[in-house]
Amino acid sequence: MTAFEIDGQIALVDCGVLFPEDNHPGVDLILPALDYLDGRMDDIVALVLTHGHEDHIGAVPYLLKRRSDIPVFGSKLTLAFLAAKLREHRIRDFKLDAVEEGEILEVGNYEFEFLAVNHSIPDALAVAIRTDAGTVLHTGDFKMDQLPLDGRITDLRGFARLGEEGVDLFMADSTNAEVPGFTTPEVDVEPAIARVFDAAGGKLIVACFASHVHRVQQVLNMAVKHNRKVVYVGRSMVRNMATARDLGYLKVPAGTLIELKEIDRYADNEVVIVSTGSQGEPMAALSRIANKEHPVVEVGPGDTVLLASSLIPGNENSVYRVVNGLAKLGATVVHKGNALVHVSGHASAGSCSTATTSSSRRTRCPSTARSVTSSQTAGSPRRRVCRRTASSWPVTAM
């Protein structure tokens, strides 16, 4: 979470969570320092969300429990993922306002301009924040995949245009800033996934992030080619993929999806299971499968498990524990360490350098707390002025 303040008005960008490591016993989530806002909740004029990953939206319910009517702005998919979380937390009368790349929004003393960026989740946005004190360009999480699966590339022209106007502070995704070169395109993963499908003679389980719509799309397409049905396992996977499908971000071929309760009607080599738990979360579906605790899904000799995700620092022991458990049961485990089955969603050093140069920034600051159809905007951005009156905000109730 980043807080900007000018003339007594506070604007927030993102409000996410971190997940506990092994040295955090009894901790479920790590929240941002919301106590910074104690006594200042009425001064918050906007919360802007760059994308729908948990480390960017996961703490929003805890913020809105303190004040439910904070205006929240984000892309359509981001707000849809957030709305489901807010309903789970029984928060009512929240105010969500969808924005698009190329749109300019005036709220209080702030002007926000939204730009498309490519990431490992659809509909990600960068935001330029203009104030009387200067201009900030906050990239959110991004990379520069020139062959994205959804055809939506990072708006580098927009970065350059803002640089010509003058960017006083460039806040860039720094997750992979020390990784040389450029991030591998998502399309390069498909041959490795195809080889896994070709070699799998029994049950096939693909574990990935529950928000990785692009990866699930690749699995769906491959399942159709190999005459396999697809079943989602894990509550967040079921919920997020249904949302992505309803909004048009996920294309599900007719007759491909089945319910978990129908899995016994098919032979093992006729099904692919898309599961949560790629980070070794103890209560997630994959961990329960590895521990022989899942009520429906079992694995054994001849089965294949594909971990289509990267290893988040701090989760090493949990992931290795799951991999060992699956191997003991006789399953073949394919992961990023032995096959190109996942690529990062973050810009490597080459892309970071390109973005920094394009923005012509005066000062830069890393924004990550860790040690083709062009959607670039042509012509003038669309402008919208939002006033804080009782009738001007869309209200989404439970």
Side-chain angles (χ1 to χ4, degrees):
M1 183 181 76
T2 306
F4 300 90
E5 181 173 351
I6 185 169
D7 297 333
Q9 295 186 354
I10 298 174
L12 304 176
V13 176
D14 290 331
C15 187
V17 297
L18 293 177
F19 295 98
E21 301 179 12
D22 287 346
N23 61 339
H24 296 131
V27 176
D28 296 318
L29 293 173
I30 299 173
L31 302 179
L34 297 178
D35 54 349
Y36 167 78
L37 300 170
D38 286 348
R40 303 292 309 280
M41 298 302 295
D42 289 337
D43 296 332
I44 301 173
V45 296
L47 168 60
V48 175
L49 302 176
T50 59
H51 64 282
H53 280 152
E54 282 294 298
D55 57 339
H56 291 257
I57 69 169
V60 175
Y62 301 93
L63 174 65
L64 296 191
K65 284 179 181 178
R66 301 183 177 204
R67 180 187 151 200
S68 64
D69 65 342
I70 294 174
V72 182
F73 302 94
S75 65
K76 184 168 61 173
L77 183 65
T78 300
L79 296 186
F81 282 176
L82 175 61
K85 296 179 68 66
L86 297 179
R87 286 191 288 269
E88 283 187 355
H89 283 261
R90 301 183 182 278
I91 297 175
R92 301 174 181 272
D93 299 331
F94 45 87
K95 299 176 179 180
L96 308 183
D97 196 339
V99 295
E100 299 177 347
E101 60 263 27
E103 186 171 352
I104 290 179
L105 187 70
E106 295 181 21
V107 183
N109 293 328
Y110 297 89
E111 180 180 278
F112 303 102
E113 179 178 346
F114 299 94
L115 302 93
V117 291
N118 181 256
H119 188 38
S120 55
I121 187 173
D123 239 7
L125 296 169
V127 57
I129 307 171
R130 297 185 180 92
T131 72
D132 291 340
T135 298
V136 178
L137 176 54
H138 192 307
T139 67
D141 288 353
F142 83 105
K143 62 179 177 178
M144 291 187 181
D145 190 339
Q146 297 304 304
L147 299 170
L149 300 179
D150 60 0
R152 185 176 182 270
I153 65 176
T154 294
D155 189 357
L156 194 58
R157 285 193 301 176
F159 284 17
R161 172 177 52 79
L162 290 166
E164 291 176 357
E165 294 178 11
V167 173
D168 298 284
L169 176 61
F170 181 56
M171 301 185 67
D173 178 6
S174 61
T175 304
N176 285 350
E178 295 182 339
V179 178
F182 293 83
T183 304
T184 305
E186 291 282 349
V187 69
D188 287 3
V189 172
E190 291 187 0
I193 294 179
R195 287 192 292 271
V196 173
F197 270 80
D198 291 339
K203 191 176 298 175
L204 175 58
I205 299 175
V206 179
C208 65
F209 296 113
S211 58
H212 205 326
V213 178
H214 296 149
R215 187 70 71 245
V216 174
Q217 184 69 70
Q218 289 175 312
V219 172
L220 285 168
N221 296 344
M222 206 63 65
V224 171
K225 291 181 181 179
H226 289 78
N227 298 313
R228 286 180 180 254
K229 300 294 184 181
V230 175
V231 57
Y232 300 140
V233 177
R235 185 180 60 169
S236 59
M237 182 69 71
V238 173
R239 180 188 66 206
N240 287 352
M241 291 309 115
T243 299
R245 179 197 60 205
D246 293 344
L247 294 178
Y249 295 96
L250 184 69
K251 309 299 182 185
V252 181
T256 302
L257 282 182
I258 62 171
E259 299 288 337
L260 182 59
K261 62 185 179 183
E262 302 175 282
I263 195 170
D264 289 336
R265 301 178 188 176
Y266 299 88
D268 286 350
N269 62 358
E270 295 177 338
V271 174
V272 55
I273 298 167
V274 181
S275 170
T276 58
S278 63
Q279 297 304 305
E281 304 95 319
M283 296 305 296
L286 190 63
S287 291
R288 297 172 67 194
I289 293 170
N291 293 330
K292 300 181 69 173
E293 296 175 351
H294 197 278
V296 178
V297 182
E298 298 179 350
V299 298
D303 296 334
T304 302
V305 179
L306 169 60
L307 296 179
S309 63
S310 57
L311 184 60
I312 295 177
N315 293 341
E316 293 88 349
N317 290 341
S318 298
V319 173
Y320 296 152
R321 192 177 301 119
V322 171
V323 170
N324 289 341
L326 294 168
K328 287 180 180 178
L329 295 174
T332 298
V333 183
V334 183
H335 52 81
K336 189 179 179 181
N338 55 30
L340 183 61
V341 292
H342 183 73
V343 295
S344 177
H346 301 273
S348 297
S351 297
C352 290
S353 177
T354 300
T356 301
T357 303
S358 299
S359 68
S360 302
R361 82 284 172 252
R362 296 177 185 173
T363 306
R364 64 175 178 267
C365 173
S367 66
T368 305
R370 292 194 182 97
S371 82
V372 163
T373 298
S374 171
S375 56
Q376 296 174 344
T377 304
S380 299
R382 300 178 299 279
R383 183 178 296 272
R384 182 150 58 102
V385 179
C386 291
R387 309 289 185 191
R388 291 192 62 189
T389 61
S391 61
S392 64
W393 296 104
V395 177
T396 306
M398 181 176 171

